[in-house]
């Protein structure tokens, strides 16, 4: 027989056994604050949740420099110790293999995960929008630098050779660029900004963009010095017609101030020649909303004056470039395939030997 096991002394003080606290059950925790805010909007206004309802909680995208894909489930700001921390909820639905895991099983779990999926989709949309906005802003900044370079050249040319003739403005369009405008107004429907110049057509009493200025020169000894009008288009809400004004004959650093037709706004132009101009307008004009009965005041964070640069819109050049792009995308003809051009039995080789 084996040795009898020693019996424990019932009077001996036993070390107390400390139970380690288990991890808080997921379904008993407080859900992220964005869920309660969005749910409250839906309940209060008696409507479905819109994608834009998530935007208030996605402001961190402005400072985000990398995607959140692949974040570890234990990579919490709170170190994984606070079950009520929002960052805890953002990451705890991924298992070690990256597969989705519905770890929250409260009574509103289905609704929570539905909104969570919608929020993630909106987050990706905002990230893509941010990238497109940055690309657009880079284009605007490059155009601003192009016009600043032309302006510096104007200063030099004026000192060396005197006055420089400015191009005819009647019937011309200048595309406008302004990085500040992109910062405050960019959207997926961001339109091309422009200013159009035209003269009143005395033949029919209407307004026309007559690009043929030869008739103007013949009928008037002052030619281009006739009074012109113009339209500025910044977006669907901000449009302004101005004039009449007498266009300059020469490029200049001097500012030409023109009143809008309604008399409410003042537009300051600098025509610097070679197809370039500068335009300064107030933020009240930029933020105008004529179709809104109660238009909000302009944002105080916006600059008091917006400075746009204008680049002449060469329609013929744009047409040629568009045609070139279309030709580059067209499918090759049957005689331009690899077989016909390279194979010994192809058309090109066969045509070399009659």
């Amino acid at each position: 027989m084996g040795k009898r096991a020693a019996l424990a002394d019932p009077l001996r003080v036993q070390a107390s056994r400390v139970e380690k606290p288990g991890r808080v059950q997921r379904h008993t925790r407080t859900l992220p604050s964005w869920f309660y805010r969005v749910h409250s909007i839906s309940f209060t206004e008696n409507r479905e949740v819109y994608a834009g309802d998530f935007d208030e909680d996605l402001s961190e995208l402005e400072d985000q420099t990398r995607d959140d894909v692949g974040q570890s489930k234990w990579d919490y700001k709170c170190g994984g110790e606070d079950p009520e921390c929002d960052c805890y909820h953002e990451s705890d639905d991924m298992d070690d293999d990256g597969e989705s895991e519905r770890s929250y099983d409260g009574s509103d779990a289905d609704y929570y995960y539905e909104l969570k999926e919608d929020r993630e989709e909106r987050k990706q949309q905002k990230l893509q929008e941010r990238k497109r906005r940055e690309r657009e802003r880079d284009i605007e900044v490059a155009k601003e630098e192009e016009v600043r370079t032309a302006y510096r050249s104007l200063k030099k040319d004026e000192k060396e050779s005197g006055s420089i003739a400015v191009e005819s403005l009647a019937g011309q369009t200048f595309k406008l660029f302004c990085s500040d405008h992109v910062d405050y107004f960019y959207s997926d429907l961001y339109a091309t900004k422009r200013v159009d110049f035209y003269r009143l057509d005395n033949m029919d009493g209407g307004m026309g963009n007559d690009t043929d200025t030869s008739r103007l020169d013949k009928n008037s000894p002052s030619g281009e010095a006739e009074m012109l009008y113009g339209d500025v288009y910044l977006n669907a809400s901000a449009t302004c017609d101005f004039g009449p004004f007498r266009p300059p004959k020469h490029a200049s650093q001097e500012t030409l101030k023109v009143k809008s037709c309604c008399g409410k706004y003042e537009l300051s132009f600098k025509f610097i020649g070679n197809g370039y101009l500068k335009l300064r307008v107030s933020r009240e004009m930029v933020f105008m909303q004529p179709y809104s009965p109660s238009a909000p005041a302009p944002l105080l964070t916006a600059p008091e004056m917006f400075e746009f640069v204008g680049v002449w819109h060469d329609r013929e050049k744009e047409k040629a470039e568009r045609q070139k792009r279309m030709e580059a995308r067209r499918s090759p003809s049957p005689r331009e395939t690899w077989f016909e051009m390279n194979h010994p039995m192809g058309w090109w080789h066969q045509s070399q030997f009659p």
Side-chain angles (χ1 to χ4, degrees):
M1 295 181 62
K3 188 176 180 179
R4 186 175 180 180
L7 296 176
D9 186 353
L11 299 179
R12 184 178 179 182
V13 178
Q14 301 289 330
S16 60
R17 183 177 182 181
V18 179
E19 295 288 341
K20 293 184 179 180
R23 192 172 180 85
V24 179
Q25 294 295 320
R26 298 292 174 86
H27 67 274
T28 62
R29 71 172 189 251
T30 302
L31 290 174
S33 58
W34 66 260
F35 171 75
Y36 293 105
R37 187 186 65 79
V38 173
H39 178 54
S40 177
I41 293 175
S42 176
F43 179 80
T44 303
E45 301 183 10
N46 191 27
R47 63 170 174 81
E48 295 182 354
V49 174
Y50 302 148
D53 294 334
F54 298 105
D55 291 354
E56 180 177 327
D57 304 297
L58 298 177
S59 59
E60 69 273 11
L61 291 177
E62 295 300 325
D63 300 321
Q64 185 173 349
T65 58
R66 63 179 179 86
D67 294 337
D68 295 330
V69 179
Q71 181 185 26
S72 169
K73 65 180 293 185
W74 301 108
D75 188 15
Y76 307 122
K77 296 178 183 177
C78 64
E81 299 297 331
D82 184 0
E84 295 187 0
C85 178
D86 281 359
C87 67
Y88 181 85
H89 307 298
E90 292 297 323
S91 304
D92 65 357
D93 293 321
M94 303 296 292
D95 60 21
D96 293 336
D97 296 328
E99 297 295 334
S100 178
E101 177 188 351
R102 289 172 59 101
S103 56
Y104 174 68
D105 58 358
S107 59
D108 53 358
D110 288 341
Y111 189 49
Y112 165 64
Y113 282 105
E114 178 183 347
L115 291 184
K116 183 178 176 67
E117 183 177 347
D118 293 341
R119 182 173 183 266
E120 181 61 28
E121 182 177 346
R122 178 61 173 176
K123 186 175 183 179
Q124 295 305 317
Q125 291 176 355
K126 296 293 287 184
L127 283 171
Q128 294 302 317
E129 179 182 311
R130 179 193 176 199
K131 293 176 181 178
R132 289 192 294 270
R133 182 175 67 247
E134 290 175 346
R135 287 195 295 267
E136 181 64 31
R137 196 178 193 282
D138 289 342
I139 294 174
E140 307 269 325
V141 169
K143 290 297 183 180
E144 288 173 329
E145 182 57 33
E146 178 181 337
V147 176
R148 278 194 292 267
T149 300
Y151 189 67
R152 289 192 293 267
S153 297
L154 171 63
K155 293 180 179 180
K156 181 180 179 181
D157 293 341
E158 282 184 326
K159 293 179 180 179
E160 295 179 354
S161 57
S163 61
I164 301 173
V166 73
E167 300 83 356
S168 170
L169 293 178
Q172 302 302 318
T173 294
F174 288 74
K175 290 185 177 181
L176 297 176
F177 303 89
C178 176
S179 55
D180 286 336
H181 191 272
V182 175
D183 292 338
Y184 286 93
F185 291 96
Y186 181 82
S187 69
D188 288 338
L189 301 178
Y190 195 67
T192 299
K193 305 174 293 294
R194 69 179 190 274
V195 55
D196 302 320
F197 296 99
Y198 56 86
R199 62 184 177 82
L200 293 179
D201 190 342
N202 295 324
M203 300 299 293
D204 57 12
M207 292 184 180
N209 288 346
D210 188 357
T211 57
D212 182 7
T213 59
S214 59
R215 181 160 56 90
L216 174 65
D217 295 335
K218 292 178 181 179
N219 294 338
S220 172
S222 60
E224 181 64 10
E226 284 193 357
M227 305 301 282
L228 293 183
Y229 295 79
D231 288 320
V232 170
Y233 179 90
L234 302 181
N235 55 45
S237 297
T239 61
C240 178
D241 51 348
F242 58 90
F245 73 99
R246 190 176 299 278
K249 296 181 179 181
H250 303 281
S252 173
Q253 302 176 51
E254 296 183 1
T255 299
L256 174 64
K257 296 184 177 181
V258 185
K259 279 288 187 181
S260 62
C261 291
C262 66
K264 187 176 181 180
Y265 307 110
E266 183 177 77
L267 299 86
S268 300
F269 287 95
K270 285 186 178 181
F271 297 95
I272 59 181
N274 296 320
Y276 298 115
L277 61 78
K278 287 186 174 184
L279 169 64
R280 282 171 57 88
V281 297
S282 67
R283 67 183 174 193
E284 284 72 25
M285 175 179 155
V286 174
F287 281 86
M288 74 163 73
Q289 294 188 8
Y291 308 111
S292 175
S294 58
L299 297 175
L300 295 180
T301 56
E304 292 185 5
M305 301 295 294
F306 279 74
E307 181 168 317
F308 296 82
V309 299
V311 179
W312 177 55
H313 181 202
D314 189 340
R315 294 184 177 88
E316 292 300 322
K317 180 179 179 182
E318 183 180 74
K319 182 179 178 180
E321 291 177 348
R322 184 166 57 248
Q323 183 66 27
K324 186 176 180 180
R325 289 194 300 269
M326 292 176 61
E327 292 177 354
R329 289 196 299 265
R330 71 179 179 85
S331 301
S333 66
R335 288 193 172 187
E336 294 177 345
T337 62
W338 183 93
F339 178 87
E340 295 292 346
M341 299 298 294
N342 297 277
H343 196 275
M345 297 301 294
W347 165 80
W348 189 85
H349 282 278
Q350 293 296 317
S351 64
Q352 306 304 309
F353 306 99

